[in-house]
Amino acid sequence: MQFTKQLFIWYLFLLMSVTAIAADKPAKHPKTGEPLVIDVLRGSPKIDGKLDDWMLDYLTPAVLDTKEQVFPGAAQGAAAWKNPADSSGEFYVQWDDNNVYIAAVMKDDKLSNQKKNGDIWNADTIEAFFSTPNAVAPHAEHYQYGFDVKDQIWNWCNMDGAGNRKPDYLKTKSSNTSDGYICEVAIDYSHIKSLGFKAGNTIGFHPCFDDADDGPDRQLQMTWTGREAHDQSKGFGHIILSSRAVAPVDAKGKLTATWSEIKTQQ
């Protein structure tokens, strides 16, 4: 009887452990059908609106650049999208012991940022969602942040109950480019309490952007999954936190080690 009891407890513990680490499958790209998954390397880039220290060639971005990724329910939807030069973006992610970093490289031929505070979603704005790796009903298990080229920031959804406010733990710096803009942010993930930022963990991720063209209000929204930004019902994309480091550079941006050397050391 004692052995049976111990066996049952062991089985229950194993079942609970499997349940705790289980994750739903990531969403698929609405055009290619490929799973939306990227490995996130360790790094601590400076938040200065420049990407010299990001080593982008070593990173895999989340790319938003097809008409299938335009959410049809936002304003004019796909009818407002012309081509990638009109509206598109690449989202790069890194992490370290304290922060998760995002570099958004945007192409936008007409900039318009006429909104403030919690209304910035209704203009040219980037939205980034971090979530559990579960496919659940909208708004249920995610954090939603917004930031724009004017360095305005906002946190709408927050699983810890501290949303709908300006997050003082998010640092940002942006810059204009010849064909759009760059937004760089660092989020102190000690304030993202319901998710585990540890090497090997999988976290839901959904980068999106809003485009107002040259008007006061949003004309379209493009999302990684092609669904409405909050729609977690079929899952978001996934980021997998790696223990590998981005290749280091010196103050002048010159490599101090090759990528193969980094991998050998690890």
Side-chain angles (χ1 to χ4, degrees), residues 13 30 40 46 75 96 99 143 164 167 170-171 178 198 211 235:
F13 174 78
V40 175
K46 183 179 180 181
D96 60 20
N99 300 295
Y143 299 79
N164 290 316
L170 187 156
K171 297 180 181 179
S178 61
K198 296 181 180 179
D211 185 17

Side-chain angles (χ1 to χ4, degrees), residues 17-60:
S17 299
V18 171
T19 302
I21 64 174
D24 290 326
K25 293 181 178 180
K28 295 182 178 180
H29 192 286
K31 181 178 181 179
T32 68
E34 293 295 319
L36 299 176
V37 180
I38 56 176
D39 288 327
V40 175
L41 303 185
R42 290 182 61 89
S44 304
K46 183 179 180 181
I47 304 303
D48 56 6
K50 303 176 184 178
L51 303 182
D52 309 50
D53 56 348
W54 271 78
M55 303 302 296
L56 298 184
D57 289 344
Y58 296 107
L59 307 178
T60 301

